[in-house]
Amino acid sequence: DKALTGRSRAPGRGSREKQLVVLLHGLGADGNDLIGLAPNWAATLPDAAFIAPDGPMVCDMGPFGRQWFSLQEFSQASIAAGARRAADPLNSFIDGELARHGLDDRHLALVGFSQGWEMGLYVAVRRPVGCAGVVGYSGMLVDGEGLGNDQGAGDDEEDHDVDLGGPHQGLPDGAPGEIGPVYAGNLHLVLEPAKHVADGGSRQPTEPGGLGG
């Protein structure tokens, strides 16, 4: 598979990287769409390097952009197969960036939107060591039924929480409001639909120390 490429931003205060935040775009977008978040988050994570890779495929549902896998056949089996294929180049990209910055998964955060969120969660629960955190917006849990058979995120001795805050679309383990917990090794998935601002709800960001700072 062709190696992924992306756009990056060094730590805001010019220091050596202590964390790596990987931003994963949605269907029909590319890394340019999310790397713009980095300056806004740098105040909270001044020692973090940000990188936003392009998906491995040209989008087949529009005139431009990239995708992580095709949605021409919108079925759970097809989506799971596509995520499995995209996971290898994404994991290789993550491994390469961690090595380049002299970091490990304990200092890694994955942030995704839509299809990027699905890929971020898919690889996070299957990597040998749990990452510091995963943040996602508007996606679904892909191949949740296969989590019990996949080895990953359970080879270390620490527990890790993943907050699935945001609108959930088609989560196989339940609808929003009645979602049960999923467990994979030592990585606990907390399935909690977020309240929208229009409903008077809000979500507080976690402390940057959660990224191993």
Side-chain angles (χ1 to χ4, degrees):
D1 292 332
K2 185 177 179 181
L4 301 185
T5 59
R7 288 79 173 165
S8 61
R9 185 185 190 278
R13 59 186 176 194
S15 59
R16 181 185 179 278
E17 300 89 342
K18 295 182 180 178
Q19 303 98 16
L20 176 66
V21 179
V22 179
L23 305 167
L24 303 171
H25 67 78
L27 181 74
D30 61 25
N32 281 322
D33 286 2
L34 291 190
I35 196 63
L37 294 173
N40 298 314
W41 293 356
T44 303
L45 295 169
D47 298 317
F50 294 83
I51 190 156
D54 295 334
M57 303 170 62
V58 174
C59 183
D60 61 7
M61 298 182 72
F64 52 81
R66 309 288 295 182
Q67 65 188 24
W68 296 96
F69 51 84
S70 177
L71 289 180
Q72 292 285 357
E73 181 185 343
F74 196 81
S75 67
Q76 291 292 338
S78 177
I79 291 171
R84 283 193 292 272
R85 287 191 296 270
D88 285 342
L90 178 55
N91 275 316
S92 294
F93 179 84
I94 293 171
D95 290 341
E97 288 300 310
L98 287 173
R100 186 166 71 89
H101 294 293
L103 301 172
D104 58 32
D105 283 71
R106 295 171 299 173
H107 301 85
L108 167 70
L110 302 176
V111 180
F113 173 74
S114 189
Q115 196 177 73
W117 163 224
E118 294 160 14
M119 286 307 306
L121 181 57
Y122 185 90
V123 300
V125 298
R126 291 167 172 86
R127 287 179 65 81
V129 177
C131 64
V134 185
V135 179
Y137 304 91
S138 186
M140 64 183 179
L141 177 63
V142 174
D143 197 21
E145 295 84 352
L147 286 176
N149 300 321
D150 289 325
Q151 298 298 318
D155 295 340
D156 54 355
E157 296 180 355
E158 299 181 12
D159 288 348
H160 305 270
D161 289 325
V162 176
D163 184 7
L164 303 193
H168 301 301
Q169 302 169 4
L171 280 168
D173 297 286
E178 52 183 10
I179 299 173
V182 179
Y183 180 78
N186 288 328
L187 187 66
H188 300 272
L189 306 186
V190 183
L191 305 182
E192 177 187 346
K195 294 181 179 179
H196 295 284
V197 175
D199 298 329
S202 65
R203 299 185 65 83
Q204 298 298 320
T206 57
E207 292 297 322
L211 273 178

